[in-house]
Amino acid sequence: MAKQPQPISPLKNFFAGGFGGVCLVFVGHPLDTIKVRLQTQPKPQPGQTPLYSGTFDCFRKTLVGEGIRGLYRGMAAPVIGVTPMFAVCFFGFGLGKRLQQRKPDDVLTYPQLFAAGMLSGVFTTVIMAPGERIKCLLQIQAATGETKYSGSLDCAKQLYREAGIQGVYKGTVLTLMRDVPASGMYFMTYEWLKNILTPEGKSVSDLSVPRILFAGGLAGIFNWAVAIPPDVLKSRFQTAPAGKYPNGFRDVLRELIREEGVASLYKGFTAVMIRAFPANAACFLGFEVAMKFLNWVAPGL
């Protein structure tokens, strides 16, 4: 294993992670919109065709019906939330690594990196859950033809007025179920690939831009391979009318499997995987660029 850059600075991770998250949203949001619309489209009645036959059909209909703005529907919520969310995410990963080091020059094992990544998933849920709830509702309302919410702030206000803070945080448990194991896989895979791609005798901090992009993109693929089933359940649960699933994700899971089979847990798979590589490549490149800048302007931070 190539030696990790030392010492680990959770504070630098915080600032660099925020910048990386902004890069991820701008690159990946259009396909996230497609993913959510595919995951939440109603089951067609007998003899009727589905609203969207697949990823590319959904993309075409959205672009034709709503223009390029339709692909960026609901982006205000993740943009507002993504900077602190990814800042906290990368901070949690840095803190998780720091907590497992006995000495500043200790090199962590891959299981330890996985555990540090899981901690980051716990950290981000507080920010992630309401942002995901608002984003999903805004992404599907255009497809239904109804305009209940005028924007992210209006959506948050209405949710709070209707059901209090619980309405805003609906789906938190499913967000945890998605993000904790997926974040562990995400960061462990990225560190593993960086080590593999680092030439003998070189530091991981000297990796070229194409290698960083490849490692970050593939880490995104591994992350979503773990996250898709709970993400489908989360999207369904967060966009369902109040009271539809009284037992939470168990009701969503039973309904999906009963009506649409196990394959329904992988709805939006193509859109997710097409999005995962470029979005996460951009995220980690943004993170590494920001980290180098911080190391240059504030080496003692």
Side-chain angles (χ1 to χ4, degrees), residues 6-243:
Q6 304 295 334
I8 295 166
S9 172
L11 191 57
K12 286 181 182 176
N13 273 30
F14 179 86
F15 291 113
F19 182 71
V22 172
C23 295
L24 179 144
V25 171
F26 277 101
V27 172
H29 189 80
L31 279 161
D32 186 72
T33 298
I34 301 303
K35 177 206 72 173
V36 171
R37 290 187 176 184
L38 287 170
Q39 288 177 344
T40 57
Q41 67 173 321
K43 185 182 178 183
Q45 297 297 320
Q48 292 183 338
T49 57
L51 182 61
Y52 308 116
S53 61
T55 298
F56 296 104
D57 182 54
C58 184
F59 180 86
R60 182 184 61 81
K61 287 180 178 176
T62 301
L63 197 60
V64 170
E66 304 168 54
I68 194 71
R69 292 180 62 183
L71 295 171
Y72 281 92
R73 190 80 60 185
M75 197 179 76
V79 164
I80 292 169
V82 81
T83 300
M85 184 195 72
F86 269 81
V88 169
C89 177
F90 278 83
F91 172 82
F93 180 57
L95 181 63
K97 290 194 291 183
R98 174 78 72 82
L99 290 173
Q100 295 180 89
Q101 287 183 311
R102 296 183 179 179
K103 303 189 300 292
D105 60 347
D106 281 349
V107 178
L108 300 180
T109 64
Y110 292 121
Q112 287 176 314
L113 291 170
F114 186 85
M118 290 177 69
L119 180 64
S120 77
V122 175
F123 271 52
T124 56
T125 296
V126 174
I127 301 171
M128 191 77 161
E132 287 277 299
R133 167 96 155 120
I134 293 166
K135 171 181 71 68
C136 288
L137 288 170
L138 290 174
Q139 284 173 328
I140 68 166
Q141 80 166 356
T144 63
E146 300 176 2
T147 307
K148 183 178 180 180
Y149 311 111
S150 62
S152 298
L153 187 58
D154 180 55
C155 182
K157 286 180 179 178
Q158 288 196 47
L159 289 174
Y160 184 79
R161 190 162 54 243
E162 291 169 2
I165 196 67
Q166 287 185 335
V168 178
Y169 274 87
K170 182 179 179 180
T172 298
V173 172
L174 279 164
T175 305
L176 271 172
M177 290 172 60
R178 181 192 69 178
D179 288 350
V180 170
S183 293
M185 180 64 74
Y186 187 53
F187 284 108
M188 183 190 71
T189 303
Y190 180 64
E191 296 288 341
W192 169 61
L193 288 167
K194 284 204 303 180
N195 287 326
I196 288 176
L197 295 170
T198 300
E200 190 69 30
K202 297 284 186 178
S203 168
V204 290
S205 61
D206 298 325
L207 275 180
S208 65
V209 168
R211 293 187 180 200
I212 291 171
L213 288 171
F214 178 77
L218 211 54
I221 295 288
F222 276 81
N223 169 79
W224 278 104
V226 173
I228 287 177
D231 185 63
V232 172
L233 299 177
K234 179 196 70 66
S235 294
R236 281 293 184 103
F237 184 69
Q238 287 185 319
T239 58

